[in-house]
Amino acid sequence: MADLLNTLKPILAQYGLENSLNAVPLGHGNINDTYRIERSSGPHYVLQRLNTLVFRDHAAVAHNHHLVARHLQSRHYPLLIPEYLRTSDGADYALNHLGQHWRLMAFLPQTAEVERAQNPAQARQAAQAVGTFLACLADLDAQQVRDVLPGFHDSASRFEQFKKVVEENPVNRLKEVAAEVDYLMQEAEIFALIQNLGLPLRVVHNDPKIGNVLFDEKGEKALALIDWDTIQAGHIPGDFGDLVRTMTPTFSEDHHDIAAVKVDRALFQAAAEGFVAPLHGVIEPLEIENLFNGARWIVLEQMLRFLGDYLAGDTYYKIRYPEHNLLRARNQLALYRSLRENEVALNAIIQDMLG
Ligand code: GN1
Ligand code: MG
């Protein structure tokens, strides 16, 4: 780890932290590189390289972050806020000789990540954190946040791009995934359905997966919702969809035993109740009615994204082995099928909340 720390020193020096003890890789992010910076005394920090191939407008990311932090503070948001710390020159990012953009945040002490919900109480807590975040942002004008990832959850246009990759088949992997592609083609109607609903445009997180909810060390209480880079205008059922995707399955998105990946009804019920409770008075009937569709939308979109990346030759997500994206796509497909098989019961849980 000494080599890693040495590489990071020119960046740490811009924060006056060149005499740090250790740098340790942190979390399971698929896009950015994240390290915990340990000090001999005093608090630890989180140092992260923003992947500017994905987030092309680093200033917009920082702008949204500050705007949302200030707004949440003014609304007495009860969870911890992951604030950017400034360089000695007062900048949001430290640049190194490669022109990379790095930012520093306080490490939130006594917090732990979970990979999937172990029990309904945990799913409820995580979902409640996301619902609380959205409720506190309900009166922030969506025009004020910048579009950091244009079309990020525009699955109809993602689907068009996907069809191009299928046609071009650049790395000759199409034959392995013909069945998955066919299934996706059959189910893609959900993308158009969502687009035509006329859902209200809100400030949303856009990536509220369970790994982005920090718990206390016992895994009982949700303390923070982190990873704010994707915040931009979007839809409440989309955020609900990502939490169903990651808080209600029997196994996480990287799990190998595809046949074992299913939605767990008790986790789903707890997540749905936890999510909606803080949103009372904010969420509209149209949004509640379409929460289940939000889950279909985001799980299928994630399947499309993993499968599309596999077909394109693994250019977007970090992978740990050659078939990683294929496995993730199949995993998400299994979850999607299970959602469809349980649709009547799961949707009844949601519709009951309309009162
Ligand atoms: C990426 O980097 P990470 O793990 O927070 C991705 C999300 C996906 C997620 C799948 C900017 O998030 O949209 O849902 O992987 N973020 C971006 O695990 O594409
Ligand atoms: Mg993220």
Side-chain angles (χ1 to χ4, degrees):
M1 289 297 146
D3 283 354
L4 177 60
L5 185 62
N6 277 333
T7 327
L8 297 176
K9 267 196 182 149
I11 302 150
L12 289 167
Q14 298 177 52
Y15 292 96
L17 294 175
E18 58 277 21
N19 61 352
S20 298
L21 266 192
N22 212 354
V24 188
L26 186 66
H28 303 96
N30 292 323
I31 308 289
N32 298 323
D33 300 331
T34 315
Y35 304 95
R36 185 174 69 226
I37 303 300
E38 299 178 346
R39 314 266 305 149
S40 55
S41 64
H44 296 333
Y45 294 91
V46 176
L47 186 66
Q48 192 175 50
R49 182 178 72 82
L50 186 74
N51 180 338
T52 46
L53 292 175
V54 172
F55 296 100
R56 291 172 185 271
D57 189 348
H58 56 82
V61 171
H63 165 88
N64 288 352
H65 200 111
H66 295 312
L67 181 75
V68 166
R70 277 201 309 273
H71 191 85
L72 291 177
Q73 276 153 357
S74 75
R75 292 296 172 271
H76 307 291
Y77 177 63
L79 301 168
L80 298 170
I81 293 180
E83 297 226 50
Y84 272 44
L85 303 173
R86 296 196 184 266
T87 66
S88 317
D89 294 339
D92 284 319
Y93 297 94
L95 270 70
N96 62 4
H97 66 290
L98 299 169
Q100 297 171 331
H101 286 70
W102 291 79
R103 69 275 169 83
L104 187 79
M105 283 160 280
F107 179 79
L108 303 175
Q110 280 146 16
T111 56
E113 265 189 48
V114 300
E115 213 191 323
R116 67 177 192 88
Q118 304 287 336
N119 52 56
Q122 227 175 29
R124 185 182 303 271
Q125 275 287 311
Q128 199 181 317
V130 180
T132 303
F133 179 86
L134 296 176
C136 290
L137 292 178
D139 64 339
L140 177 60
D141 180 4
Q143 307 291 337
Q144 284 193 50
V145 297
R146 301 210 189 133
D147 230 12
V148 277
L149 297 168
F152 188 53
H153 282 309
D154 177 354
S155 7
S157 82
R158 282 190 184 273
F159 185 53
E160 291 310 311
Q161 289 162 24
F162 177 82
K163 285 192 281 193
K164 273 199 202 118
V165 179
V166 167
E167 223 176 271
E168 287 163 14
N169 189 17
V171 287
N172 208 16
R173 285 173 164 177
L174 186 59
K175 55 186 178 310
E176 296 167 60
V177 298
E180 287 80 2
V181 171
D182 280 353
Y183 186 78
L184 186 59
M185 298 290 179
Q186 277 170 41
E187 292 294 316
E189 65 193 21
I190 185 67
F191 300 147
L193 186 153
I194 290 288
Q195 213 164 35
N196 295 330
L197 285 172
L199 289 167
L201 211 53
R202 311 255 197 187
V203 180
V204 299
H205 184 288
N206 283 313
D207 183 22
K209 58 185 196 181
I210 194 164
N212 285 336
V213 176
L214 295 184
F215 278 80
D216 64 3
E217 285 165 319
K218 289 187 188 153
E220 288 173 357
K221 203 171 161 11
L223 298 178
L225 175 62
I226 58 165
D227 197 2
W228 289 9
D229 297 339
T230 49
I231 291 174
Q232 65 182 29
H235 304 301
I236 284 183
D239 271 10
F240 181 74
D242 208 46
L243 68 87
V244 168
R245 190 180 77 75
T246 57
M247 295 176 198
T248 74
T250 45
F251 293 97
S252 72
E253 72 185 19
D254 285 322
H255 189 70
H256 288 81
D257 180 6
I258 304 295
V261 177
K262 296 185 168 48
V263 59
D264 176 309
R265 279 195 203 176
L267 294 177
F268 183 94
Q269 170 138 23
E273 289 170 0
F275 180 73
V276 171
L279 284 164
H280 273 304
V282 167
I283 191 167
E284 293 176 9
L286 179 71
E287 294 172 304
I288 300 190
E289 280 159 22
N290 285 289
L291 288 179
F292 185 79
N293 281 332
R296 274 187 65 193
W297 162 33
I298 295 298
V299 175
L300 195 67
E301 182 191 276
Q302 191 66 64
M303 183 270 191
L304 175 155
R305 294 175 64 192
F306 286 143
L307 192 61
D309 200 29
Y310 183 69
L311 285 173
D314 307 312
T315 60
Y316 187 85
Y317 291 108
K318 290 184 190 171
I319 53 167
R320 287 189 291 280
Y321 53 94
E323 311 271 277
H324 199 163
N325 274 320
L326 176 59
L327 175 115
R328 288 163 167 160
R330 290 188 168 146
N331 171 307
Q332 297 294 288
L333 180 55
L335 177 61
Y336 183 85
R337 274 187 203 277
S338 172
L339 284 172
R340 289 293 260 160
E341 283 160 14
N342 290 279
E343 180 155 350
V344 173
L346 298 178
N347 211 5
I349 294 171
I350 305 273
Q351 303 312 323
D352 278 353
M353 293 193 293
L354 275 167

